[in-house]
Amino acid sequence: MAKNRRPLTKRRDDRHRAPTAPTEPAGPHPNPDWLTWCRRAALALLGGVLVYVAYHPSDSVQVENGDALWFCVLSILLWTATMSSQPRVIGQTGSTLDRLSATIDGLAWGLAVWMFVAALLTQCDLRQATNEAWVWVAGAAVFSASRRLLRDRSNQVVVVALMFAIATGMAVHALHQQWISLPQTRAQFFADPETVLRLAGVDAPPGSAARMLFANRLVDGGPTASFALANSLAAVLLTVLIVVSVIVATSKATRRSKWRMAAGLALAWLGAAALLATRRRRALSAGLGGLGGGGGRRHERELAESGRSAGSRVARRAV
């Protein structure tokens, strides 16, 4: 009996012991407000860069003259806003860069540094070389920042929707050029070529190669929208066909709704008509391939769903 008794002093000590504070559950800490707003600002800058590049593009000659200045400024701001919030992102899946991701970023920045040095060493005009070199740095900044921002699913949806809206606007612009602007410009060029060249900002004396190139592109070329070449416009117009085909192939709600299907088909026809107007065979074949891939995927899903439903019916009958 004496062995089973517990000392009374220990019970008294337990009564007078101070209660311990409850431990907080382990988990990711909430992000501070400034980090959230910085991340949102970076996403807004990414959208601004996409819109600026689409509606204010710069070819190689314009880049040398400093026309891509604001593109470089927006790109550096985008990279700064992204990288200032990236090391402090807590609880975000995939926020820590692995070795492969760091290697890809290193290759992009290595190429930018290489082209920066090459532009400064090969160009005779230092100002033109500096303008061209900073474009490569801006491209590497946009590439590395986009890889971090587009890891979030919601950011991916926003960027794809913005690209789709830009491509749709470009398609409308291209069809307006094809049916209204280009016929008027051709008639004015044949009547008064000097006025058309002056309005276009092209210095092409009579009999020069620049005037011949301008005339050939005006007469034989298709619409270019805001770009200098039809190939650039065709690459943007592919976004309409690819996005519509993916939505139709993957979204059941779109296939079940007649209004959504009609809107998707109308936008697809709009992009296809603008793509045909550019007269670029490779872009057209790529767009048809994207539509075919989306239709094939949709057919495979329908076959899989019909197979599952048939199997369930057989199983019910067997039971």
Side-chain angles (χ1 to χ4, degrees):
M1 295 295 292
K3 294 182 179 180
N4 295 333
R5 292 181 180 178
R6 295 180 180 180
L8 297 178
T9 56
K10 187 175 181 180
R11 291 183 180 179
R12 293 177 180 177
D13 294 341
D14 293 341
R15 292 176 182 177
H16 294 286
R17 184 178 298 174
T20 57
T23 57
E24 297 182 357
H29 298 279
N31 295 332
D33 294 337
W34 70 266
L35 178 62
T36 303
W37 284 106
C38 188
R39 209 66 173 178
R40 292 176 180 177
L43 183 61
L45 285 171
L46 178 59
V49 169
L50 291 176
V51 175
Y52 183 83
V53 170
Y55 288 96
H56 192 79
S58 303
D59 59 7
S60 59
V61 178
Q62 293 176 344
V63 166
E64 294 177 354
N65 296 331
D67 190 68
L69 173 63
W70 289 109
F71 166 69
C72 297
V73 172
L74 290 175
S75 302
I76 298 301
L77 290 177
L78 167 64
W79 182 82
T80 304
T82 304
M83 298 306 297
S84 61
S85 59
Q86 180 67 24
R88 295 288 304 275
V89 173
I90 303 173
Q92 180 180 353
T93 304
S95 61
T96 304
L97 294 177
D98 52 2
R99 293 182 179 178
L100 179 60
S101 181
T103 302
I104 295 174
D105 288 338
L107 291 176
W109 281 101
L111 177 62
V113 172
W114 176 268
M115 296 303 299
F116 191 96
V117 176
L120 294 178
L121 294 179
T122 57
Q123 288 283 353
C124 299
D125 192 344
L126 181 60
R127 183 174 183 179
Q128 293 182 357
T130 305
N131 293 333
E132 185 178 356
W134 275 106
V135 172
W136 289 95
V137 176
V142 172
F143 177 77
S144 57
S146 301
R147 294 185 66 249
R148 288 161 174 80
L149 291 176
L150 295 181
R151 291 182 178 182
D152 188 73
R153 179 68 176 176
S154 59
N155 294 349
Q156 296 175 4
V157 174
V158 170
V159 171
V160 171
L162 180 60
M163 293 175 61
F164 181 77
I166 292 173
T168 305
M170 288 291 175
V172 175
H173 190 184
L175 293 179
H176 181 271
Q177 284 184 338
Q178 178 68 17
W179 295 333
I180 300 176
S181 300
L182 284 178
Q184 294 178 356
T185 306
R186 289 165 185 162
Q188 293 175 1
F189 181 77
F190 292 139
D192 189 3
E194 298 298 333
T195 303
V196 175
L197 290 172
R198 185 175 65 255
L199 293 176
V202 179
D203 185 12
S208 62
R211 175 176 289 225
M212 185 180 299
L213 179 62
F214 181 84
N216 292 334
R217 287 182 176 178
L218 180 61
V219 175
D220 299 331
T224 59
S226 60
F227 298 96
L229 299 175
N231 292 330
S232 303
L233 174 62
V236 175
L237 292 176
L238 286 176
T239 309
V240 178
L241 301 179
I242 294 175
V243 170
V244 170
S245 62
V246 170
I247 291 177
V248 172
T250 57
S251 178
K252 295 181 180 180
T254 303
R255 295 197 299 267
R256 293 174 181 175
S257 177
K258 296 182 179 180
W259 293 104
R260 292 183 181 180
M261 282 294 296
L265 291 177
L267 292 175
W269 280 110
L270 179 66
L275 194 59
L276 284 173
T278 59
R279 304 175 186 177
R280 293 299 176 264
R281 299 178 180 178
R282 294 183 179 179
L284 183 60
S285 60
L288 294 177
L291 290 177
R297 187 175 180 182
R298 174 186 174 184
H299 184 62
E300 290 179 358
R301 288 199 171 192
E302 290 179 353
L303 289 178
E305 291 177 359
S306 61
R308 286 194 296 266
S309 61
S312 62
R313 288 195 299 266
V314 171
R316 289 177 183 176
R317 293 177 181 178
V319 174

